[in-house]
């Protein structure tokens, strides 16, 4: 069992930056691929970014590529999402998720995730 707690959300102006953190409990964090998803009001949850258990492989949604960076620190049981050049379309609740697959390739579908955090709200004003 893994518990995930997100932090770092808030209100930011367009063009600004935020860094989200997701702290995980348990000794098996380093064996999970980790991902960030987001859900805007009235929309479905969508993939944002993922990182492999080692940190050596990443994947990004086209909408955030070049602006967001996912990383992890296995010593701290934490995964991060650095978000730059934010725009109002990035406004959403951001969720951290853990995937305990043994596959080497990171997965991006919400149904593939095994554990979820409760989310942190990011609001970007124009």
């Amino acid at each position: 069992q893994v518990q995930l707690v997100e932090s770092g959300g808030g209100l930011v102006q367009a063009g600004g930056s935020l860094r989200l953190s997701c702290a995980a409990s348990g000794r098996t964090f380093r064996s999970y691929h980790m991902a960030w998803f987001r859900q805007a009001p009235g929309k479905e949850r969508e993939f944002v970014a993922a990182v492999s258990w080692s940190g050596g492989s990443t994947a990004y949604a086209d909408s955030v590529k070049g602006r967001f960076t996912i990383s992890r620190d296995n010593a701290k049981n934490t995964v991060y999402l650095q978000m730059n050049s934010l725009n109002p379309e990035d406004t959403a609740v951001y969720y951290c998720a853990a995937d305990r697959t043994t596959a080497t390739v990171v997965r991006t579908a919400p149904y593939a995730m095994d554990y979820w955090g409760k989310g942190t709200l990011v609001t970007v004003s124009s």
Side-chain angles (χ1 to χ4, degrees):
Q1 187 76 11
V2 174
Q3 292 185 327
L4 305 172
V5 179
E6 302 95 336
S7 61
L11 175 64
V12 63
Q13 289 188 332
S17 298
L18 281 176
R19 188 175 83 153
L20 305 183
S21 298
C22 173
S25 65
R27 296 174 291 178
T28 56
F29 172 78
R30 64 183 64 234
S31 66
Y32 297 142
H33 296 329
M34 299 296 296
W36 288 94
F37 292 80
R38 66 185 181 186
Q39 188 165 16
K43 295 187 177 181
E44 293 186 353
R45 191 168 298 189
E46 65 174 2
F47 168 74
V48 175
V51 61
S52 62
W53 64 269
S54 68
S57 178
T58 58
Y60 295 92
D62 288 343
S63 59
V64 307
K65 204 171 292 184
R67 300 188 298 123
F68 291 10
T69 302
I70 189 171
S71 61
R72 66 189 296 162
D73 185 338
N74 286 342
K76 296 182 178 180
N77 278 15
T78 302
V79 62
Y80 305 97
L81 185 68
Q82 177 67 43
M83 305 186 295
N84 299 327
S85 301
L86 286 161
N87 58 63
E89 289 71 37
D90 295 316
T91 294
V93 177
Y94 283 71
Y95 298 91
C96 175
D99 181 3
R100 61 182 178 184
T101 181
T102 56
T104 56
V105 178
V106 296
R107 299 191 291 184
T108 62
Y111 63 78
M113 303 297 116
D114 294 290
Y115 303 104
W116 291 89
K118 294 184 178 180
T120 185
L121 177 63
V122 172
T123 303
V124 184
S125 63
S126 57

